[in-house]
Amino acid sequence: MTPSPRTPRPGPSFLRREAAVVAAVSLGGGLGAAARHGASLAWPAHGSAFPWTTLAVNALGCALIGVLMTVLARVRATHPLVRPFLGTGVLGGFTTFSAFAADGHGLLADGHARLGLAYLAATPVVAVAAAWGAAALTRRLAARTVREAR
């Protein structure tokens, strides 16, 4: 397939920028995943126990995403790699919805249907509430800081 004459080919500067974004996401993702793994080692869930660590990690990660996105929306000049590094990388690697699915499946497969269903229903609600609440609190604190600075 030959490229259309109307479609410009990405130049070296485009490729350098995209390579920097991929590197930032990769580095951040490694840090976030290592932090999540550390949390699972510090507070392991045994057998068919409720996976509190995974729930807490996802709630904390979503809250931090709410704070980060609110701050980045209000700050005019940030480095272009801050959002990919912190948002997609660190916090994307820290939160774990694959472990959430595996934990829920494990509870159901082990015959703990009520606990598994409660976990599967509660986690998305807690995650969205954490992101929304943290973003709202961050907006309120930022507005208060601006009023006090005047």
Side-chain angles (χ1 to χ4, degrees), residues 15-130:
L15 295 176
R16 272 195 298 275
R17 268 194 321 267
E18 293 304 310
V21 170
V22 169
V25 169
S26 299
L27 179 61
L31 293 172
R36 173 173 33 95
H37 185 67
S40 71
L41 292 176
W43 302 286
H46 298 287
S48 59
F50 191 84
W52 288 107
T53 304
T54 304
L55 179 64
V57 160
N58 283 331
L60 176 62
C62 287
L64 293 173
I65 288 170
V67 171
L68 176 67
M69 293 306 147
T70 303
V71 168
L72 290 180
R74 292 181 176 269
V75 176
R76 293 182 190 260
T78 59
H79 192 280
L81 296 179
V82 168
R83 187 177 179 154
F85 174 73
L86 292 176
T88 307
V90 173
L91 296 174
F94 184 66
T95 54
T96 174
F97 286 90
S98 59
F100 152 72
D103 290 344
H105 180 267
L107 288 171
L108 294 173
D110 289 345
H112 303 282
R114 277 192 273 170
L115 191 60
L117 291 174
Y119 176 67
L120 291 172
T123 296
V125 172
V126 168
V128 170

